[in-house]
Amino acid sequence: MDTDEKLSVYWWEWVKYYAQLAIDRFEVGVDQVKELLCTLTIDERLGVMLEFEDAYPQKFAQLVTDTPQWAEWMA
């Protein structure tokens, strides 16, 4: 499969932007994170959560601990 490198870079930059929004919303409450994720496609949601985990592993661990149903948000 042929992929466009510029498109791929753009997609990751976009995901990083939404990951930062998710992280900021996490400070307000997990429901805010859930609302944000619901507006994204499944690929985008997964990318956002991967970036969240990579950028802020401690906050991500707190999210997983505080909200075990977070994985259901991915569906």
Side-chain angles (χ1 to χ4, degrees), residues 3-4 6-7 10 18 22 25 28 32-34 37 42 46 51 58 60 62-64 66 69 71 73-74:
T3 60
D4 183 344
K6 288 181 185 179
L7 186 57
Y10 171 78
Y18 273 88
R25 287 179 177 216
V28 176
Q32 294 290 315
V33 176
K34 183 178 179 181
L37 293 174
I42 190 163
L46 293 172
E51 183 61 29
Q58 293 171 332
F60 186 78
Q62 183 181 353
L63 173 70
V64 170
D66 294 350
Q69 71 275 18
W73 303 347
M74 300 297 103

Side-chain angles (χ1 to χ4, degrees), residues 8-42:
S8 180
V9 169
Y10 171 78
W11 187 86
W12 270 111
E13 290 302 316
W14 189 86
V15 164
K16 287 178 183 182
Y17 169 76
Y18 273 88
Q20 188 59 55
L21 288 178
I23 293 160
D24 294 344
R25 287 179 177 216
F26 177 69
E27 299 297 326
V28 176
V30 294
D31 288 335
Q32 294 290 315
V33 176
K34 183 178 179 181
E35 285 181 24
L36 174 69
L37 293 174
C38 289
T39 66
L40 307 174
T41 68
I42 190 163

